[in-house]
Amino acid sequence: MFAFLLAFFEQIQYLYLFYLAITNIITTWMIWVTLKQMVRCYYCDIDMLLHSLYHTQVYTPISILAPAYNEQETIISSVYSLLKLHFQEYEIVIINDGSKDETLERIIKEFDLYSVAITQELTLEHAKIRNVYHSPHYKNLTVIDKENGGKADALNSAINLANYPLICCVDADTILEEDAILHGLEKFVKDRRVIAVGGAIGITNGSVIKDHKMSERKVPNSLIEGFQILEYLRGFFAGRVGWQNSNGLVLISGAFGIFKKDLVLKIGGYRHTIGEDLDLLIRMRRYCYENNIAHQVKFVSDILCWTQCPGDYQSLLKQRSRWQKGLLETLYHHRKMFFNPKYGIVGTLSLPYFFLIEALGPIITFLGVVSIIVLYMFGLVNPYSIVLFFLLEFVWGVMLNIFALYLDLFTKHAYVGYWPYMKLLLLSLLEPFVYKPLLKAELFVATFNFMNASWGEIKRKAL
Amino acid sequence: MQNAHFIQHLVLKISEIFFFTSIALLVVFFILKAFLDIKRKFLKKKSFQVKHREIQEELAHISPKNLPKYANYLSSLSDHQAYQKAITQIEATHLYDKLYALYDTKRLPLSRLALFHSLALLGDPKIRPLALSFTSDKEKRKKIPEFLTIELYALSLSSKNSVHIQELYFILETLDQEEYASQKFAEFFLVKAFISVEEEEILRFLAWMKQQEFNAVYFAAIYALSALPVNKRRHEALCELQHAHPRNRMLIVSFLRVSHRLGLKEPDIVLRHHNDTDDLLRIVCAKVALDMLEDSYYPLLSHYLYDPNPYVRKNFLLSLTKYHIKTETLMAWIEAHYPQHKEDSLTLKSIAQYQSGIS
């Protein structure tokens, strides 16, 4: 039995090393693909065209939906940033999802809101709407006050009230770039098959926000926030551009995503789950595959919106735990799509990748590290395995971080000077030893705890 | 033993590769950062200089020898005026042809390619052959898709006659069929092209359109024309098209829009289509109906107040505001013609909106 266990651990150890190698190869490839695209965009004077598009009659109006739950610190700033967007015709729908703080009171006071009758046909189900408000100063601003029902519920209520054929779902603590909608719309105009567009997300922590706009981008002094900047660049940014190029993108962040409203309505809006953003896009794509609708999902390879990342370990672990639970729940819900050629690249590649690399990753990592420790304790560990582990996990990890920093050079809001990059380089040396193990441990726990789904709260700072 | 030695050697080699790659990545990173910083500073400085006469002096010294330097300089100019001055200078020194020759014969770095594509934004007629060769070549389009929009923009702005618009039309048709471009995409460029040509050329283009088959680009062209300022001759040309295809909704929409803008009345068409199933047609009818019909027909239109399409409601409310019709009158119309919709939530919302609009 003992010998069997040791043999098992030996195999697990190799499986783990294989997993690490595969993950690193995929990440390297994705950063490379993203970098190539970003360099092309950097030299392409697309802003002038977007400006031109802004001044023509040829556009599709859009509804911006922003659910807010206990966002009293950031809500006013976010609404102002939304009101400043460069776009001809858009409406903003803020949903107060039963906040316990002063979110609603602050918006009412700031924008002199007055109550109006609820007059739209409510096709999607959601918790009861208490009141709908309009502003006398901003005709395109609507605020919904409803009973708490979660983010998906709040978005469904706003979709019901939205007037326009495109909906842009943003987080209420998000600050959008002025031309974010134009960038997103360009993708819809260029290709009629596009059903959804996402954009890269930047982190505001430590930066200077002036007039509800990103004024000076800085690397925060806190370790935890700095690590997340690296993670956003390496994982979220590069990964999505990579998947988009093969039309395998299944995740558009809840912080900024534009969707075709008619398709969202056809699939019944958001499903009540904690991974609602991942679930929505998978269901949209599933519907298209099942009904033979040619479709594309695009990603804009520049930072279109800014958000705060968790500033303390507790909030971060809660957030990541929630993401992991959402991922597992959604993958389980769509398990029939796995390895099913009927669902194209999503069924054959994207979802299996998410399952094997992202969802099972924490378990493989945990078992792999345990096996190396156990084998080491019994003097059975292959020394080259340890060296290989070190090379794959730490050395290649650091290299990937450096490589990912290249992406930042070609964003519109690249850091000014060398110091921010020096700081990020130092952090990238520390990350594999401090940040990654902690996160993986939390994800491992969350994997076994995914039935206990709740949103939790993240502490926000005023902008 | 030999195996262990080999593995040890392999691991050491891999470590070495990782180490040197990281160092190389870092060095390249900081060189690139320095380069981009310098470029940004240069840009700032130059855009300041553009406002002064220094730019003219600098341009005066251009010769084929310092062409690459000049190309870099051009790519750093950030406003149209500067481009225009630079292009005048290129023409004066006969460098345009050389620039083209360079573009066609050599594999240029992306930054230099970007220069040519940026020049396209000016819509200079001389850039047209380059833009045409790029947009008609599927391989090129796929290789650098980001430049496609810019080149189409160049084709639109450099259009000077109906043949040019036809060229653009065919390319847009190809994009529609092969690359799934949306109708709005075609509209955007066709509007730009129509703005760039004389009225005679538009009329020639409309005559040519008669022989074309209906497709997304056809309707994009019609829609683009009806969105632009109109005149009687263009209205007549559209009228001919519409009479040739009386059942085509898109043509009816364009025809109504143009007629309305010219103050002409088409009551028969409005009465025939005011309750059409097509959203776009209802949207336009809601906008023009009150102006085109006699007063006695007004109550017939009150169904627009609870139309499921928000644009139909919005357009109708806007036209109602113009005629100062009382809220009570509106309610009476609905009660008389569509009593089941009196308490409809959309009707109530429209009435509320109308009231707030009047106040």
Side-chain angles (χ1 to χ4, degrees):
Chain A
M1 179 65 188
F2 183 67
F4 172 76
L5 262 179
L6 286 179
F8 171 74
F9 277 130
E10 206 175 352
Q11 294 308 311
I12 288 291
Q13 171 200 239
Y14 293 129
L15 175 72
Y16 174 51
L17 292 175
F18 179 71
Y19 162 79
L20 275 181
I22 290 288
T23 321
N24 284 347
I25 288 169
I26 293 173
T27 314
T28 310
W29 174 74
M30 282 183 168
I31 294 176
W32 174 244
V33 170
T34 310
L35 190 62
K36 268 187 6 187
Q37 184 161 325
M38 288 196 71
V39 172
R40 284 207 307 257
C41 289
Y42 180 80
Y43 283 112
C44 172
D45 201 353
I46 199 75
D47 283 354
M48 201 180 279
L49 279 173
L50 292 177
H51 186 73
S52 186
L53 188 67
Y54 171 58
H55 285 289
T56 60
Q57 296 286 321
V58 185
Y59 63 89
T60 311
I62 191 165
S63 305
I64 299 170
L65 320 178
Y69 178 71
N70 292 349
E71 303 279 2
Q72 61 176 20
E73 300 296 342
T74 55
I75 191 71
I76 303 297
S77 196
S78 296
V79 176
Y80 274 119
S81 90
L82 293 176
L83 286 165
K84 277 184 173 180
L85 294 177
H86 287 173
F87 200 62
Q88 292 232 15
E89 190 171 357
Y90 67 101
E91 62 173 356
I92 303 162
V93 185
I94 306 288
I95 314 105
N96 175 47
D97 190 30
S99 297
K100 291 171 192 160
D101 64 359
E102 288 185 4
T103 303
L104 181 68
E105 290 74 12
R106 288 193 186 187
I107 315 179
I108 291 177
K109 194 178 165 195
E110 182 70 25
F111 299 101
D112 294 331
L113 299 181
Y114 60 91
S115 172
V116 292
I118 307 165
T119 49
Q120 214 81 338
E121 274 181 61
L122 308 177
T123 47
L124 301 177
E125 284 183 13
H126 52 78
K128 194 185 167 194
I129 293 179
R130 294 176 193 141
N131 238 326
V132 176
Y133 298 92
H134 282 171
S135 165
H137 314 300
Y138 302 97
K139 293 280 181 200
N140 59 342
L141 176 65
T142 302
V143 176
I144 300 172
D145 178 32
K146 65 181 276 293
E147 286 170 6
N148 183 263
K151 190 178 171 185
D153 193 79
L155 284 167
N156 280 345
S157 68
I159 293 169
N160 276 331
L161 264 73
N163 282 314
Y164 298 138
L166 290 176
I167 52 168
C168 174
C169 301
V170 300
D171 282 347
D173 59 333
T174 300
I175 291 180
L176 290 192
E177 282 288 302
E178 283 170 348
D179 54 4
I181 300 295
L182 280 172
H183 273 283
L185 194 76
E186 194 229 346
K187 302 278 179 197
F188 281 99
V189 170
K190 230 173 169 177
D191 191 333
R192 61 176 179 270
R193 295 168 301 171
V194 173
I195 55 166
V197 172
I201 296 158
I203 289 178
T204 53
N205 300 46
S207 302
V208 182
I209 307 284
K210 259 188 200 168
D211 296 328
H212 321 292
K213 269 170 75 175
M214 171 59 70
S215 165
E216 195 184 345
R217 199 168 160 221
K218 286 180 178 175
V219 176
N221 289 325
S222 137
L223 278 180
I224 188 81
E225 292 165 335
F227 287 143
Q228 285 176 84
I229 289 178
L230 282 174
E231 198 190 7
Y232 268 63
L233 274 176
R234 192 189 52 224
F236 307 152
F237 200 159
R240 281 170 206 173
V241 175
W243 280 115
Q244 175 221 235
N245 285 1
S246 51
N247 195 24
L249 190 62
V250 287
L251 175 59
I252 283 176
S253 166
F256 179 82
I258 305 178
F259 306 94
K260 271 191 174 167
K261 191 176 125 187
D262 58 347
L263 193 57
V264 175
L265 284 171
K266 272 179 193 158
I267 59 160
Y270 281 89
R271 194 166 63 85
H272 288 240
T273 166
I274 43 171
E276 77 293 323
D277 42 5
L278 175 67
D279 179 76
L280 180 83
L281 194 54
I282 294 179
R283 281 193 301 124
M284 282 172 80
R285 299 203 67 167
R286 190 175 180 167
Y287 179 88
C288 290
Y289 280 120
E290 285 171 354
N291 293 282
N292 290 324
I293 300 169
H295 67 285
Q296 292 273 316
V297 177
K298 296 283 181 191
F299 189 80
V300 180
S301 56
D302 206 336
I303 299 174
L304 294 188
C305 70
W306 302 91
T307 190
Q308 271 187 49
C309 67
D312 57 285
Y313 275 98
Q314 219 180 354
S315 299
L316 173 74
L317 295 181
K318 262 186 199 168
Q319 184 198 50
R320 294 311 157 89
S321 173
R322 196 183 72 229
W323 287 2
Q324 181 72 1
K325 287 172 193 170
L327 172 70
L328 289 167
E329 199 275 334
T330 307
L331 290 178
Y332 182 73
H333 187 80
H334 297 284
R335 61 192 179 282
K336 281 183 185 168
M337 292 173 75
F338 283 36
F339 300 108
N340 190 343
K342 184 182 162 188
Y343 297 106
I345 194 166
V346 173
T348 49
L349 205 65
S350 307
L351 291 183
Y353 168 86
F354 268 84
F355 179 67
L356 296 170
I357 305 289
E358 303 278 341
L360 291 186
I363 299 175
I364 298 172
T365 307
F366 178 79
L367 288 175
V369 173
V370 167
S371 68
I372 289 174
I373 293 169
V374 170
L375 291 171
Y376 179 78
M377 280 164 62
F378 287 96
L380 292 169
V381 71
N382 182 344
Y384 300 116
S385 295
I386 295 189
V387 176
L388 203 58
F389 166 69
F390 183 78
L391 283 174
L392 289 169
E393 180 74 56
F394 302 113
V395 183
W396 200 342
V398 170
M399 221 174 79
L400 281 177
N401 280 340
I402 298 171
F403 199 20
L405 285 182
Y406 277 70
L407 300 178
D408 196 81
L409 287 180
F410 294 97
T411 57
K412 224 190 291 173
H413 288 274
Y415 289 106
V416 178
Y418 292 89
W419 179 234
Y421 291 107
M422 295 300 285
K423 256 168 120 176
L424 286 174
L425 280 171
L426 286 173
L427 286 172
S428 73
L429 293 174
L430 283 175
E431 195 213 18
F433 301 96
V434 184
Y435 184 69
K436 273 189 182 173
L438 194 78
L439 215 59
K440 284 186 175 171
E442 175 62 25
L443 291 182
F444 178 72
V445 176
T447 306
F448 287 98
N449 198 22
F450 86 93
M451 294 308 285
N452 176 23
S454 74
W455 265 75
E457 284 170 25
I458 294 171
K459 288 175 192 166
R460 305 273 187 214
K461 291 171 192 166
L463 291 171
Chain B
M1 191 63 193
Q2 240 184 359
N3 199 20
H5 183 74
F6 171 73
I7 293 174
Q8 191 182 4
H9 181 74
L10 189 73
V11 167
L12 275 172
K13 266 283 164 219
I14 294 172
S15 313
E16 234 175 73
I17 291 168
F18 271 127
F19 178 75
F20 286 113
T21 315
S22 300
I23 296 293
L25 274 175
L26 270 178
V27 172
V28 173
F29 178 82
F30 282 109
I31 291 172
L32 189 65
K33 164 82 180 142
F35 170 74
L36 292 173
D37 279 356
I38 290 167
K39 205 178 163 197
R40 276 180 191 133
K41 275 182 194 165
F42 179 75
L43 252 169
K44 257 188 186 175
K45 199 178 157 196
K46 284 299 167 195
S47 17
F48 173 72
Q49 282 183 354
V50 164
K51 292 170 193 163
H52 298 79
R53 299 194 64 172
E54 288 170 35
I55 185 169
Q56 293 287 37
E57 287 163 24
E58 248 183 82
L59 288 170
H61 295 104
I62 287 151
S63 70
K65 275 183 185 172
N66 54 15
L67 190 65
K69 188 184 155 199
Y70 184 56
N72 274 335
Y73 172 70
L74 268 181
S75 64
S76 72
L77 297 177
S78 59
D79 67 43
H80 268 194
Q81 250 187 338
Y83 270 132
Q84 287 292 9
K85 281 178 186 170
I87 282 170
T88 316
Q89 194 64 33
I90 293 171
E91 281 175 323
T93 48
H94 306 288
L95 283 174
Y96 226 122
D97 297 337
K98 289 185 196 304
L99 281 168
Y100 280 138
L102 210 86
Y103 175 83
D104 280 341
T105 55
K106 288 187 182 174
R107 194 181 152 81
L108 289 170
L110 194 65
S111 58
R112 204 64 58 76
L113 262 181
L115 155 74
F116 292 104
H117 290 279
S118 302
L119 286 172
L121 282 172
L122 293 172
D124 191 283
K126 292 202 173 183
I127 208 81
R128 198 171 171 85
L130 181 66
L132 260 178
S133 84
F134 181 89
T135 46
S136 334
D137 188 334
K138 198 174 178 180
E139 287 302 309
K140 278 184 187 170
R141 286 200 310 259
K142 284 210 163 172
K143 202 174 167 193
I144 321 175
E146 285 80 2
F147 290 138
L148 173 65
T149 323
I150 290 182
E151 292 304 339
L152 284 171
Y153 195 76
L155 280 183
S156 314
L157 293 190
S158 62
S159 295
K160 295 293 167 228
N161 54 47
S162 64
V163 179
H164 286 168
I165 305 179
Q166 285 166 28
E167 282 171 352
L168 177 67
Y169 186 94
F170 287 132
I171 289 167
L172 290 171
E173 258 186 352
T174 315
L175 291 175
D176 170 60
Q177 285 154 15
E178 291 177 9
E179 289 168 35
Y180 304 96
S182 75
Q183 192 177 314
K184 286 226 179 281
F185 190 69
E187 257 174 70
F188 175 69
F189 295 110
L190 286 165
V191 164
K192 296 278 171 199
F194 289 138
I195 291 171
S196 312
V197 299
E198 299 284 331
E199 184 60 31
E200 289 298 324
E201 298 299 328
I202 294 180
L203 295 174
R204 252 178 230 137
F205 177 75
L206 272 170
W208 174 81
M209 289 262 294
K210 279 186 203 164
Q211 302 133 28
Q212 299 307 305
E213 285 179 15
F214 289 147
N215 59 27
V217 182
Y218 185 98
F219 294 126
I222 294 291
Y223 200 78
L225 277 170
S226 65
L228 292 169
V230 283
N231 55 41
K232 286 236 172 181
R233 288 176 70 194
R234 206 185 299 171
H235 176 260
E236 279 164 19
L238 274 172
C239 192
E240 268 180 50
L241 268 182
Q242 204 265 319
H243 288 319
H245 309 279
R247 291 187 176 197
N248 188 287
R249 286 174 167 130
M250 194 66 201
L251 288 174
I252 298 168
V253 164
S254 304
F255 181 65
L256 280 178
R257 287 174 73 179
V258 174
S259 305
H260 185 242
R261 228 169 303 141
L262 284 171
L264 303 171
K265 295 196 174 188
E266 300 290 345
D268 294 342
I269 297 180
V270 176
L271 281 172
R272 213 178 303 141
H273 297 285
H274 74 96
N275 215 352
D276 200 278
T277 49
D278 183 73
D279 276 8
L280 192 60
L281 190 46
R282 278 204 325 284
I283 289 170
V284 174
C285 279
K287 186 176 180 181
V288 304
L290 287 181
D291 294 337
M292 289 193 174
L293 294 178
E294 298 293 323
D295 297 7
S296 56
Y297 288 110
Y298 286 5
L300 259 185
L301 305 172
S302 50
H303 61 86
Y304 287 139
L305 287 170
Y306 56 85
D307 194 285
N309 189 305
Y311 282 102
V312 174
R313 297 198 302 273
K314 186 179 160 189
N315 274 356
F316 189 60
L317 290 174
L318 282 172
S319 58
L320 277 175
T321 316
K322 199 163 69 180
Y323 286 92
H324 300 288
I325 294 168
K326 286 179 183 170
T327 318
E328 296 80 37
T329 316
L330 292 176
M331 291 308 287
W333 287 357
I334 292 177
E335 205 163 349
H337 290 83
Y338 313 96
Q340 69 276 25
H341 287 289
K342 196 186 165 190
E343 298 297 323
D344 194 300
S345 63
L346 291 174
T347 310
L348 295 176
K349 187 182 181 184
S350 296
I351 296 290
Q353 276 180 334
Y354 184 60
Q355 271 177 322
S356 67
I358 288 174
S359 63

